[in-house]
Amino acid sequence: MEEEELGSKNFDLKLTARLLGYLRPYGTWVGLTFALIFMASAIQQAGPYLTKVAVDEYILPGNAEGLGGVISLFVGLLVLQFALGYAQSWMTSMVGQWAMRDVRVALFSRLQHLPLGFFDRTPVGRLMARNTNDVDALNELFTNGVVSMLSELCTVLAILAYIFYMDVELGAITAAALPLAFAATLWLQSKTIESFREARVRFGEFSASLQETISGMEVVQLFGCEERRAGLFEEFNEAYLGLRMHSTWYHCIYFPFMEFGGAMLTALVLWYGGGQVLRDEIQWGVLVAMLQYVPRFFWPIRNIAERFGTFQVAMASSERIFELLDTEPEPKGGGFSAERVRGEIEFREVFFAYEDENWVLQDVSFQAAPGQAIALVGATGAGKSTIINLIGRFYEIQRGSILVDGVDIREWDLEALRRRIGVVQQDVFLFAGDIERNISLGQPQITHELVTRAAQGVNADGFITALSDGYAHAVAERGASFSSGQRQLLAFARALAAEPDILLLDEATANIDTETEMLIQEALVKLMRDRTSIVVAHRLSTIRKADKILVLHHGRVREQGRHEELLEMGGIYYRLHQLQYKGNGEADASDAGIDGTS
């Protein structure tokens, strides 16, 4: 993967062209910016030439009358330079911010359309780094990098134009330093490019480790892992520091070398130009102007080298950003759509593996008639949660087919299919905001009245109205201020408010205490009425009411039937029942559950 991320220098031009494509919608503004850069460069470098005019035509001849005009012109150019610089800086910043907005929108849009498998294997910290640090690096490129490099290049050309206009020989001497200066700059660029790219990769690992530690701080402190996590953090931090120091070392050599080159060129101009003045081959004003131009000549070249650093950081960041943008999105599905779904679900000889051929499901076949409640039971890793995920086509099966209302889900329009499916997950995710928005998820068709009816229907209205702000009560990150039972009740309300035709319950009562379970049993009956329901079973009371129970073992459906039928068979389901409730009476077991997590 790192080889892929580091890429090759041959792709720099392609990447640059692709990056600059984000400026295309703002071509008029970019054109105005470039025009201002050309004008500002010519005006900015007019100062030494005006000094030459003042010395040769007014100061040395003792003509004080015209000197005031030159000074007035100089001041006027300074004012104009300020105005042009302000306008150019404003346009550059605006264009850069507009382009970054477009990049962020493109990244966020792509993230929302990537398959869940991508998030299973990609740390959140790495994705955050791409959406923050990497995008900020591109902002530096657009606002400072490309524009500044063009501005510095125009400055070099303007200086050479003024020098050649004054004296061709001194212009040739100055221009002779260009190949050496640019060779040194290219050397610096070649030595730092890989360091910058590797540094961005290491920074992604660094961010991922930091995000993971912060998210799991409760576990870290509970098990006393502070020192071990600190050691891991230090390892990533040192690796990142080493790469940045490696590139800094080359910069530390380059800039003193450029300072030395500038001093040597100044000395050469002073020696050669002084001789010309003494021989009356050039005027004193030319030498005075040259001694001002030579330091100015090396400043933009040094700045170009600085911008190369920005450019390389942006290139490394762009590789990572475009890798994300080029990731294949999940399929949109076919053209089949329906306003309502009857809820007939059928698995036909389905094989599925998250990786290679490590099958999680093997030759799974079953059918759920419209309105039926199907319970899934089995040991950890049997594939129960996987079946839930496959119905919504969050993963692609390798063999077989899954049909909803007799239509293969690959032929369904994905958005239309998921719109008719409601999911209650074992690990409920709540967004920062308020309770009402967490139930409606911001969907305009889910009104406040519908939210309150849904909350009342799942018995969540009791604890919500007891809060000071009711449905406007602020929800902390991931719903940390609520108990697991309250979060589950909100998840039930969210599912009911969406009015789905198919209901998928993944251990929906796994984390709920007995008292809270009593509150939601009635809600479950309402929620599952007239809907096809697939339930990953945990509580026996839920299983006993199911129309059909599927017993999964090592990814295969080993048994299926109603609760009483499966007990009479004396097979896997019977053994699970006996293992969990050994020593308990049937009356006690009716309020207990079968552990079927996956």
Side-chain angles (χ1 to χ4, degrees):
M1 183 192 74
E2 288 191 10
E3 291 180 3
E4 211 173 354
E5 288 208 47
L6 294 179
S8 167
K9 297 178 186 178
N10 295 331
F11 290 102
D12 282 354
L13 291 177
K14 182 179 179 181
L15 282 172
T16 303
R18 191 170 178 182
L19 282 173
L20 294 180
Y22 283 96
L23 298 177
R24 192 172 296 118
Y26 315 106
T28 301
W29 291 98
V30 173
L32 286 173
T33 301
F34 287 170
L36 291 176
I37 288 174
F38 295 140
M39 293 171 60
S41 298
I43 293 171
Q44 185 180 21
Q45 302 310 319
Y49 182 78
L50 288 179
T51 303
K52 178 260 182 195
V53 173
V55 169
D56 291 337
E57 297 185 16
Y58 299 102
I59 296 176
L60 291 180
N63 182 11
E65 294 181 4
L67 189 59
V70 175
I71 294 174
S72 298
L73 179 59
F74 185 81
V75 173
L77 290 178
L78 285 178
V79 173
L80 182 58
Q81 178 186 330
F82 170 81
L84 292 175
Y86 172 80
Q88 179 246 307
S89 178
W90 182 86
M91 288 183 188
T92 301
S93 297
M94 290 302 99
V95 169
Q97 292 302 320
W98 292 334
M100 287 309 94
R101 174 197 59 194
D102 295 343
V103 172
R104 289 191 181 96
V105 168
L107 277 172
F108 187 73
S109 176
R110 179 47 56 98
L111 279 174
Q112 292 196 105
H113 292 90
L114 292 177
L116 286 185
F118 173 84
F119 298 98
D120 292 341
R121 62 179 183 270
T122 308
V124 174
R126 185 173 298 175
L127 295 177
M128 290 297 296
R130 295 186 187 185
N131 281 270
T132 53
N133 298 84
D134 288 336
V135 173
D136 286 340
L138 293 191
N139 183 45
E140 284 294 312
L141 174 67
F142 285 132
T143 58
N144 292 322
V146 175
V147 172
S148 293
M149 288 182 73
L150 178 62
S151 178
E152 305 298 354
L153 187 59
C154 289
T155 299
V156 171
L157 295 177
I159 290 173
L160 286 176
Y162 279 112
I163 291 175
F164 271 100
Y165 180 75
M166 291 188 302
D167 188 83
V168 175
E169 292 182 2
L170 288 176
I173 292 174
T174 306
L178 273 177
L180 182 61
F182 277 110
T185 301
L186 290 175
W187 172 83
L188 174 69
Q189 185 258 0
S190 65
K191 291 295 184 180
T192 57
I193 180 172
E194 294 300 331
S195 295
F196 277 123
R197 284 173 171 164
E198 292 180 19
R200 300 311 296 175
V201 175
R202 294 292 175 261
F203 186 81
E205 296 174 348
F206 167 81
S207 299
S209 175
L210 179 61
Q211 188 272 338
E212 186 177 54
T213 300
I214 294 174
S215 298
M217 189 58 69
E218 181 180 357
V219 176
V220 171
Q221 294 181 352
L222 183 63
F223 288 92
C225 300
E226 290 91 345
E227 290 188 10
R228 289 190 292 276
R229 296 304 301 184
L232 184 62
F233 177 85
E234 186 67 20
E235 180 182 335
F236 286 121
N237 196 20
E238 286 295 326
Y240 179 65
L241 173 65
L243 288 168
R244 292 311 301 260
M245 292 300 294
H246 183 69
S247 61
T248 301
W249 186 82
Y250 290 108
H251 280 80
C252 292
I253 293 177
Y254 172 80
F255 288 106
F257 174 79
M258 294 298 289
E259 290 281 356
F260 176 76
M264 291 298 295
L265 182 59
T266 301
L268 180 61
V269 168
L270 183 59
W271 170 75
Y272 187 80
Q276 285 186 307
V277 169
L278 294 176
R279 293 191 298 272
D280 291 328
E281 295 178 1
I282 63 172
Q283 296 174 306
W284 272 104
V286 174
L287 181 59
V288 172
M290 282 296 301
L291 293 177
Q292 295 180 67
Y293 275 129
V294 169
R296 293 188 178 206
F297 180 75
F298 276 89
W299 289 342
I301 296 176
R302 290 173 54 193
N303 290 337
I304 287 174
E306 288 275 12
R307 299 311 172 198
F308 262 126
T310 301
F311 187 78
Q312 294 308 329
V313 170
M315 287 298 101
S317 297
S318 66
E319 287 176 345
R320 293 156 57 85
I321 287 174
F322 288 134
E323 180 189 13
L324 180 58
L325 290 174
D326 292 338
T327 302
E328 192 69 26
E330 67 175 350
K332 294 182 179 180
F336 184 82
S337 179
E339 284 299 318
R340 305 295 301 182
V341 173
R342 297 195 315 276
E344 180 184 353
I345 300 173
E346 183 179 0
F347 274 55
R348 291 181 182 174
E349 301 175 350
V350 171
F351 282 75
F352 173 76
Y354 289 102
E355 186 176 357
D356 300 327
E357 291 191 358
N358 299 320
W359 301 114
V360 178
L361 298 179
Q362 302 181 64
D363 196 23
V364 171
S365 298
F366 69 87
Q367 188 171 5
Q372 272 194 330
I374 306 295
L376 305 178
V377 175
T380 299
K384 304 181 298 301
S385 295
T386 298
I387 289 177
I388 296 290
N389 288 329
L390 292 181
I391 293 173
R393 201 184 175 187
F394 291 111
Y395 298 91
E396 294 295 311
I397 61 176
Q398 283 78 21
R399 302 182 200 168
S401 56
I402 302 173
L403 292 81
V404 173
D405 285 0
V407 180
D408 194 305
I409 60 172
R410 286 169 289 203
E411 298 177 14
W412 271 86
D413 176 88
L414 195 58
E415 183 179 351
L417 175 64
R418 290 179 180 172
R419 193 164 53 240
R420 307 316 314 160
I421 295 176
V423 181
V424 178
Q425 300 166 306
Q426 178 179 353
D427 184 15
V428 178
F429 190 96
L430 297 180
F431 296 91
D434 57 38
I435 290 178
E436 180 172 343
R437 192 167 183 83
N438 267 281
I439 294 176
S440 68
L441 294 177
Q443 300 181 76
Q445 70 272 20
I446 301 180
T447 62
H448 176 74
E449 291 72 20
L450 187 56
V451 167
T452 54
R453 280 205 309 271
Q456 291 166 358
V458 298
N459 297 325
D461 185 69
F463 89 85
I464 294 174
T465 54
L467 298 171
S468 58
D469 299 324
Y471 287 87
H473 183 79
V475 178
E477 184 178 3
R478 299 183 68 92
S481 58
F482 296 129
S483 69
S484 59
Q486 290 172 329
R487 290 197 295 270
Q488 287 285 7
L489 288 173
L490 291 176
F492 270 77
R494 178 189 290 172
L496 185 59
E499 299 182 324
D501 298 316
I502 296 174
L503 185 65
L504 308 177
L505 303 172
D506 188 357
E507 291 288 359
T509 60
N511 297 319
I512 295 179
D513 55 82
T514 305
E515 182 179 353
T516 306
E517 184 193 3
M518 292 174 63
L519 291 175
I520 70 171
Q521 289 306 317
E522 180 185 350
L524 272 174
V525 174
K526 289 183 180 180
L527 197 59
M528 297 169 65
R529 183 181 298 140
D530 300 325
R531 293 184 175 93
T532 303
S533 304
I534 308 292
V535 182
V536 173
H538 181 73
R539 301 290 189 184
L540 187 57
S541 53
T542 304
I543 298 172
R544 292 167 66 92
K545 298 175 183 177
D547 297 304
K548 187 189 299 182
I549 299 173
L550 304 180
V551 183
L552 294 164
H553 187 65
H554 294 312
R556 295 180 182 272
V557 178
R558 300 291 188 177
E559 301 170 0
Q560 55 181 301
R562 295 183 65 86
H563 172 74
E564 296 79 7
E565 296 171 349
L566 293 174
L567 288 178
E568 291 177 2
M569 290 171 59
I572 297 174
Y573 184 82
Y574 175 79
R575 290 196 297 272
L576 285 172
H577 181 274
Q578 291 299 105
L579 284 172
Q580 185 161 8
Y581 305 121
K582 187 177 181 180
N584 291 340
E586 181 64 28
D588 296 329
S590 65
D591 290 326
I594 292 178
D595 186 6
T597 56
S598 67

